[in-house]
Amino acid sequence: MDKAGKNIAASSTACWIALACLVVPMFASYFFDDMFSTLSHIFQNPDMLALGWDSAGYGFYAGGYSFLCVCGGLVVCGVLLDMFGVRTVGSVFVGLMIAGAATVLAAITSGLEPATSLTIAYIGCMLFGLGSEIAGVAVTRSIAKWFKGRNVALAMGLQLAIARLGTATAFILSPVLVAEKSAGEIYTLAETARPAIAGLCMMLAGGILWAIFVAMDARFDREKGIISAKGKIKEEDRFRFSDILKVLTNPRFIMIALLCVFFYCCIISFKKFGTAIVIPRFDMDVDAAKWVITMIPFFTVIFTPLFGALVDKVGKATIWMMTGAVLVLCAHLIMAFAPQGESFYGYLAISLLGTGYSLVPSAMWPTVPKIIPEKSLGTAYSLIYWIQNMGMLLVPVFVGKIFNDIVTQPGNKAQEMSAAVNAEFIFIGLGIAAITVAAMLIISSRRHPELEIDMPNKKN
């Protein structure tokens, strides 16, 4: 290839442009998924909502994100991703993510009975969740390919940081779009739908940038020799169904998948009810609670790329995973047992939670390409997400039920505090499980140094 046709696979500039195109759909997805997180307290009083959903209904809706994923859709689509490629299958599911979000918006603004609108929103959330998860697999798989032998942990860390900035934006923007009401006032359908409208607009912009990435990726494969000029994949890079069994029987893969579900449920499911927990536990008002929960993604925006660069340079991935899991457990212990009404402990707990949320993913996601061949990465990541979504399907339902069963009188501080503490017991149990699996990963890495799990990622 002459200088005029510089190999895009070797171009650092092209890699970062591709990353820029990949992060926007994920930013939008995270925003839409968390658009009600700092508004979760309003569902404790459904009489103030024209929408009419209560906390149990909101928990049911939130769990819909994972339904199709858990029912096998995520695994099947992950296999399709490896069989037919990121560009084709990824494009389908970016479109499905947008269609699901549009369905949720239609349900919220429909004016139908609460049970009916909740059912439609649940269906939309199922479609959005499956589309978002497969789009996430496509993005992660693409980063592993484009940054192989480069700063892969830094690239994945930046992608996670910007995606979580979508969560932070939702935490801050949603309460602005849906202003707090006084007793006796009603949240109209139009007001409740404002965060969904903003999220859908962001996803449409993300869809445009995804299309640009698709064009870049086709050129990348041709110039790297992954596909021929006729578009056929080379035989050695072709996915086979026997590769699924190889992934499922890999003990390191199983450990990472279990760590993923236990760890992420400690944080993602907590965020769904964050304000409902910190308001009664630490006597915060809505504004203070909003900002303290927003610290979680802001910590990750700052620290995830830094920790990713550290993993690229010095390795020790399993140590970072263990450290992050310990920090998250400490955070939930503080939220459950710290002195009542002391806001300092709320800020301390969220700081630890945000730091742990930065550490584990920075080390965990770049470890997967070290133990799984590139041609099976779509299957591997989708299987991990599938197991993760089992927890994300069930935990919000259980937590929502705790609040619904205990808080029988909205505004009763004793009941709200009791519900918050009982919810924290679930997260403490998950944190202990995450630490146990992280310890198993450390032992396995030391027994199999040939895998280079704890070695630096950067080769040049």
Side-chain angles (χ1 to χ4, degrees), residues 35 59 67 89 111 116 148 157-158 240 269 285 310 329 392 442:
M35 63 183 175
F67 183 82
V89 178
T116 305
K148 186 176 182 179
L158 284 168
R240 296 177 176 83
S269 297
D285 59 27
L310 188 64
L329 175 61
M392 291 171 61
I442 292 175

Side-chain angles (χ1 to χ4, degrees), residues 273-345:
F273 296 89
T275 54
I277 290 174
V278 300
I279 287 174
R281 279 293 289 121
F282 304 110
D283 283 345
M284 294 182 176
D285 59 27
V286 174
D287 283 339
K290 173 191 72 176
W291 285 109
V292 75
I293 297 300
T294 304
M295 287 171 58
I296 298 174
F298 272 128
F299 264 74
T300 65
V301 167
I302 296 169
F303 289 117
T304 303
L306 294 179
F307 291 145
L310 188 64
V311 172
D312 281 329
K313 185 174 182 180
V314 304
K316 307 297 182 184
T318 58
I319 300 299
W320 302 127
M321 292 184 223
M322 170 61 83
T323 304
V326 170
L327 289 176
V328 167
L329 175 61
C330 290
H332 284 297
L333 287 170
I334 291 171
M335 279 187 276
F337 300 113
Q340 169 68 19
E342 297 289 338
S343 60
F344 165 78
Y345 292 104

Side-chain angles (χ1 to χ4, degrees), residues 415-433:
Q415 290 181 351
E416 290 174 354
M417 187 183 72
S418 176
V421 172
N422 277 274
E424 277 300 322
F425 291 151
I426 293 178
F427 299 124
I428 289 170
L430 291 168
I432 293 171

Side-chain angles (χ1 to χ4, degrees), residues 100-306:
T103 303
V104 171
L105 175 60
I108 293 173
T109 57
S110 66
L112 297 171
E113 290 295 317
T116 305
S117 67
L118 181 61
T119 300
I120 297 172
Y122 188 82
I123 293 170
C125 196
M126 288 193 300
L127 299 176
F128 165 75
L130 182 61
S132 180
E133 290 296 297
I134 293 299
V137 172
V139 166
T140 305
R141 193 186 191 284
S142 298
I143 293 172
K145 180 176 78 172
W146 278 70
F147 285 86
K148 186 176 182 179
R150 299 174 184 263
N151 303 84
V152 63
L154 173 60
M156 288 188 178
L158 284 168
Q159 188 274 129
L160 282 170
I162 295 171
R164 289 170 184 171
L165 187 59
T167 292
T169 304
F171 285 178
I172 295 170
L173 186 60
S174 291
V176 174
L177 294 174
V178 184
E180 189 72 13
K181 298 283 189 179
S182 302
E185 294 184 307
I186 299 294
Y187 293 94
T188 67
L189 294 177
E191 289 172 327
T192 308
R194 286 172 185 168
I197 294 171
L200 183 58
C201 291
M202 294 175 193
M203 271 187 271
L204 292 171
I208 294 171
L209 288 173
W210 172 263
I212 295 172
F213 167 76
V214 167
M216 293 181 66
D217 193 61
R219 183 183 172 192
F220 179 100
D221 282 357
R222 286 195 301 271
E223 295 183 349
K224 196 176 179 183
I226 296 175
I227 60 175
S228 66
K230 295 181 179 180
K232 293 184 179 180
I233 300 174
K234 294 167 66 176
E235 187 62 28
E236 62 267 27
D237 293 318
R238 192 178 299 278
F239 174 83
R240 296 177 176 83
F241 280 102
S242 59
D243 295 329
I244 301 174
L245 184 60
K246 293 178 183 178
V247 171
L248 289 172
T249 54
N250 186 322
R252 265 69 56 187
F253 168 81
I254 294 171
M255 292 176 200
I256 288 176
L258 290 174
L259 175 62
C260 184
V261 65
F262 295 141
F263 177 80
Y264 272 90
C265 283
C266 282
I267 299 170
I268 295 176
S269 297
F270 167 79
K271 288 188 300 179
K272 301 293 184 186
F273 296 89
T275 54
I277 290 174
V278 300
I279 287 174
R281 279 293 289 121
F282 304 110
D283 283 345
M284 294 182 176
D285 59 27
V286 174
D287 283 339
K290 173 191 72 176
W291 285 109
V292 75
I293 297 300
T294 304
M295 287 171 58
I296 298 174
F298 272 128
F299 264 74
T300 65
V301 167
I302 296 169
F303 289 117
T304 303
L306 294 179

